[in-house]
Every structure is written in structure tokens, then in C-alpha cells.
Amino acid sequence: MEGSPSDYPMTTTPPSKSINKLLWITDIHLDRASEETKSRFLDKLAGISYDGLLITGDISVAEHLTTHLAEISWACKERNVYFTLGNHCYFGSSFSEVDRRVADLCRQRSNLVPLGHGEVIQLTQNTSLIGHRGWYDGQAGAGEGTRIECPDRQWIKDFQGLTKAGFFSKLRDLGRESAHYFRQVLPKALDGSKNVIIATHVPPFTQGLGHRGSFCDWNRQPFFSNREAGNVIYGISKQFARRKITVHAGHTHCPVDARLLPNLDIRVGGAQPGFPAFQEFLTIE
Ligand SMILES: [Fe+2]
Ligand SMILES: [Fe+2]
């Protein structure tokens, strides 16, 4: 489990060099790519021009996660890799075990920057980046009444053996944990920057939900959205009407761009497992 902000001193990282061109990728699921496809993707990552990489989760499964993260780190050379994990990153293991292994790797690879520990990363003078993995909180759409079974219940040890009610209670806690995080860290970022990019895995707003090209089904929504975090981000955005907030997320694999307030946008990346791809080069003001 990622730490809450109270577990970590909040830090603002001044840029040693401005990050004007940030490459955003999401849901690359490298465990599902062939060796050849993965190598081509990493070669491309190494060979093109950008200042930093942003990953919004679902990098791999637990067994291969640190290997794949290390490969990304090498491909990016001296450029920083800002990342959150996604639910698939825990498949085959537990929250604590995966987070421990990733923290160990990040201590060895200085360009790996895990988001979710209180940091506000100043990309340029005007724009900062914050992030937290987040989680779907089970509240959207049909909620606990959903007819769809969530595979994570089978694949992540922390969920195994829970009743349906126990599972949904745990989801609520995970959503609250990320909401608490954004309540603490987002105002701090907005105090210091005109623009804030929020990176998270699960879309915090149902307006950002799609599934296979159409709007996300009512029964799927509980596992596709983090309403707890969304309510906090929305409320803070209203308080900081002169600041601009853009949420970048993944998880649904269905691209959506939506404006929720004049100063709040959500962008969800598309993905096709087995075929890791770039989302976009973000020009940072
Ligand atoms: Fe994914
Ligand atoms: Fe996901």
C-alpha cells in the first residue's frame, strides 16, 4: 500500500532542468507483449526526444514488474520516469510486497520517481506534477449491486478470501486513501503553480469512462472509477478557479477527453494489451 502523506514529508522538487516535453504512456502491460514488440518499444523510448516520461499505471504484472521498470529506466537514460502503478501491477502478489520491491528498485535507479509519497514535482516555473496510484472505489454505477465479477479479487492477495461486502469495503478504503492524499497535496501544488497535472491510474470521474468505444456500462463503473478522489479534486478545483488542473489516467483502455469545469479536464489514455504505445507528447507551459 502506498503511504499516506502524513507518512512522508511533503517535498517540492525544483527543476534542475525544465521538463517542457513530457511523454505520457499508460497501460503498456509489458507482460503481454512479445519480446520483439517489447524491444521495439524500449528502443523507441531510448531513441526519441523528450525531457521526461510519465506512466499512469498497469506497467506489468507483479512477477515481471521490477524487471520491466528497470528496462524502462535504462531506456530513458538520464531522463526521469514519473510513474504510478496500476491494479495489474499487483497481479500475483500483494500491495505490501509489490510496493516494497518497487521501493527497493527506485533506491537503485535514481531516474525512477514513484508518485504518491507527498511530492510536488515542479516541471517548469508554471506547471507542477503530483500523482497517486488511486484505485476504483466501488461507488460508481451499480456499486455493490453490480453483476460483474472483478478479476482483481482473484489475482491480488489482499482481496482473496474476502466476501463481496468485504471486498467493497476494502475498495472504499482504497478510494478514501487516495482522496485523502489529493486533499493534502493538491492545494499545495496549486499554491505554487498556475497549472497542475495529476497522474493517477483509475479515472476519478465517471465522465472519463469509456469501454470498447462507447460509454462504460453501469455494472462496470464500480471498477472503473474512483469517485472518492474525484469529489475531492472537483471541490478543490472550484476553490482554485484561476488555476488549471488536468488529470491524466488510464485503466479503462478507452481514450476520453472531457472538461468538467472551465479549469478541470480529465484525459484518459487508450491501450491495447500486447501492443505498448505512446499516448502523447505533452507540451508543458
Ligand atoms: Fe490496464
Ligand atoms: Fe488498470
Side-chain angles (χ1 to χ4, degrees):
M1 181 107 45
E2 290 177 5
S4 72
S6 56
D7 298 330
Y8 302 92
M10 280 202 255
T11 53
T12 300
T13 311
S16 51
K17 172 177 167 286
S18 278
I19 307 284
N20 298 106
K21 192 177 177 187
L22 185 64
L23 172 56
W24 172 37
I25 62 177
T26 194
D27 294 82
I28 51 175
H29 293 276
L30 288 182
D31 56 296
R32 300 204 209 167
S34 68
E35 272 305 312
E36 193 193 340
T37 302
K38 188 188 75 176
S39 296
R40 261 206 317 271
F41 176 75
L42 292 170
D43 286 349
K44 215 171 139 192
L45 211 49
I48 53 164
S49 164
Y50 55 97
D51 302 321
L53 182 68
L54 174 64
I55 314 177
T56 47
D58 279 1
I59 296 159
S60 189
V61 288
E63 186 186 354
H64 306 293
L65 179 63
T66 48
T67 303
H68 288 152
L69 258 176
E71 288 174 334
I72 292 168
S73 160
W74 292 321
C76 288
K77 299 168 191 158
E78 76 288 352
R79 294 167 292 208
N80 277 350
V81 180
Y82 307 104
F83 70 95
T84 70
L85 301 182
N87 53 319
H88 277 255
C89 299
Y90 296 92
F91 271 32
S93 187
S94 65
F95 287 117
S96 58
E97 180 61 24
V98 169
D99 289 343
R100 188 187 60 72
R101 279 194 247 149
V102 169
D104 285 348
L105 176 67
C106 292
R107 274 190 284 276
Q108 295 163 37
R109 300 289 312 166
S110 62
N111 70 334
L112 289 178
V113 184
L115 300 173
H117 302 83
E119 65 290 315
V120 175
I121 293 156
Q122 202 72 46
L123 298 174
T124 63
Q125 250 189 350
N126 292 324
T127 304
S128 58
L129 167 70
I130 66 168
H132 188 279
R133 176 199 63 208
W135 205 268
Y136 48 85
D137 66 358
Q139 301 300 303
E144 200 172 331
T146 179
R147 295 194 304 270
I148 289 178
E149 189 55 65
C150 178
D152 298 9
R153 222 172 133 184
Q154 185 187 338
W155 288 105
I156 298 173
K157 285 183 183 164
D158 304 70
F159 298 145
Q160 288 168 358
L162 294 178
T163 61
K164 189 176 184 186
F167 177 56
F168 273 79
S169 168
K170 176 90 179 155
L171 298 184
R172 191 81 187 250
D173 289 345
L174 288 165
R176 283 185 178 142
E177 179 195 323
S178 56
H180 176 69
Y181 187 87
F182 289 123
R183 196 178 293 116
Q184 301 294 312
V185 180
L186 180 55
K188 183 175 183 242
L190 290 165
D191 275 338
S193 294
K194 281 202 314 201
N195 312 301
V196 173
I197 294 173
I198 298 177
T200 189
H201 181 55
V202 176
F205 309 108
T206 49
Q207 291 91 330
L209 300 189
H211 183 63
R212 295 185 180 151
S214 61
F215 191 65
C216 180
D217 178 79
W218 185 253
N219 283 290
R220 208 172 293 277
Q221 286 190 21
F223 310 123
F224 268 23
S225 170
N226 183 2
R227 287 212 328 202
E228 293 275 357
N231 289 340
V232 167
I233 293 168
Y234 190 88
I236 294 172
S237 301
K238 285 186 112 174
Q239 287 169 20
F240 285 81
R242 296 164 70 88
R243 303 293 206 218
K244 172 80 185 148
I245 298 118
T246 309
V247 179
H248 287 263
H251 186 59
T252 66
H253 297 190
C254 185
V256 173
D257 279 5
R259 175 149 294 173
L260 286 99
L261 289 168
N263 67 329
L264 173 62
D265 289 346
I266 178 160
R267 310 199 56 203
V268 179
Q272 197 183 349
F275 300 93
F278 298 165
Q279 287 301 314
E280 195 180 324
F281 292 97
L282 307 173
T283 303
I284 309 299
E285 197 189 308

